[in-house]
Amino acid sequence: TISEFLQRVHGRIGSTQFRGRSVPGWYLQQFVKIGVALKVPDLSKHYLIWDSDMLMTKEYKMFTEDGRVRQHSGGFFIRQYASFYRLTGQTVLHSHDWSSFVVHHAVVYKPYMLELIKALSKPNPSATWAGPASGSLVNTTTAGPNAFVWRILENIASSDISIGFSEYTSYASWVLHHHPETVYVEKNKLWSRYPPLRMMPKPWSEDCCPTREQVD
């Protein structure tokens, strides 16, 4: 299990709860979003990942008129997501304003996700990493299609187990490195993790959703 592997590699699992979530569960939901490209045979070439705690308040357009994927930004910069470099030898990329691509949704092109999975599944000799995962514990010839799961878990920093990897950062960085012509990075911030204070209900616990007046 994820908990057992974290304990074996890093000597601990991290906080049982971190920011209201289970650490092993947080990694598991990321692996599901990545692995769906391998596991769902009839999945369309383009598909939308949408976190369940996100609300769509405006019309959402996935593509530009010339067919490029619209990449939103505005997420927090999290230095721990540099595990992408340890896994691939490539830098984490950010938006023009240095916000991240962790916007809790993504339009994925299945062939590019499969490329990323392949890269995540094999040891990268060019990436210097002095953590406990040096000399990979994962035998990628026998770990099968789930090798990417264990490679990710062994390459997170032992000091940052609770927040050591991002599927959104990794996929966006991979595509922008290898297929930049297929993506349009929005110049304006069209996404927000939290609504402006003026939109928050008072008291905060009374309403779950924005009203029509707040959205308009």
Side-chain angles (χ1 to χ4, degrees):
T1 67
I2 292 174
S3 297
E4 291 170 342
F5 193 84
L6 288 172
Q7 184 67 45
R8 176 188 173 197
V9 176
H10 300 283
R12 63 192 186 93
I13 301 172
S15 303
T16 304
Q17 294 287 323
F18 181 76
R19 296 180 181 175
R21 56 170 168 76
S22 156
V23 172
W26 181 68
Y27 284 113
L28 177 60
Q29 58 89 25
Q30 294 192 59
F31 300 151
V32 169
K33 285 182 274 189
I34 295 171
V36 69
L38 289 170
K39 301 296 185 178
V40 180
D42 297 327
L43 189 65
S44 58
K45 282 194 173 181
H46 281 100
Y47 58 95
L48 176 65
I49 297 173
W50 193 274
D51 281 5
S52 60
D53 60 349
M54 293 288 294
L55 291 173
M56 192 180 299
T57 59
K58 300 287 184 180
E59 180 183 5
Y60 182 75
K61 295 181 179 180
M62 295 191 295
F63 303 99
T64 61
E65 292 184 358
D66 60 359
R68 289 178 291 170
V69 169
R70 299 164 67 102
Q71 175 64 59
H72 290 196
S73 62
F76 297 132
F77 174 81
I78 306 293
R79 61 174 179 79
Q80 292 90 339
Y81 294 164
S83 52
F84 173 75
Y85 169 75
R86 293 193 290 272
L87 286 154
T88 67
Q90 298 172 346
T91 56
V92 171
L93 298 181
H94 306 278
S95 185
H96 58 89
D97 61 358
W98 281 90
S99 64
S100 78
F101 296 123
V102 183
V103 291
H104 300 268
H105 68 278
V107 179
V108 174
Y109 184 53
K110 182 177 176 180
Y112 296 165
M113 182 63 86
L114 292 176
E115 288 178 6
L116 175 60
I117 290 172
K118 184 177 180 180
L120 295 174
S121 297
K122 59 185 180 181
N124 177 36
S126 66
T128 57
W129 167 227
S134 295
S136 176
L137 296 176
V138 180
N139 184 339
T140 55
T141 63
T142 60
N146 295 330
F148 75 92
V149 170
W150 314 116
R151 287 288 295 145
I152 290 170
L153 291 176
E154 71 171 2
N155 276 278
I156 61 179
S158 295
S159 58
D160 298 311
I161 291 175
S162 298
I163 190 168
F165 178 80
S166 166
E167 77 282 40
Y168 292 118
T169 290
S170 298
Y171 178 75
S173 295
W174 180 267
V175 175
L176 287 169
H177 273 297
H178 296 274
H179 309 284
E181 73 284 355
T182 68
V183 180
Y184 173 76
V185 178
E186 294 284 0
K187 293 181 171 57
N188 298 317
K189 182 179 177 181
L190 303 176
W191 172 91
S192 178
R193 185 69 180 92
Y194 305 102
L197 287 177
R198 63 180 175 79
M199 291 179 60
M200 294 292 286
K202 297 180 180 179
W204 316 126
S205 60
E206 286 185 356
D207 297 324
C208 75
C209 307
T211 64
R212 169 59 61 185
E213 179 183 0
Q214 290 169 336
V215 170
D216 291 340

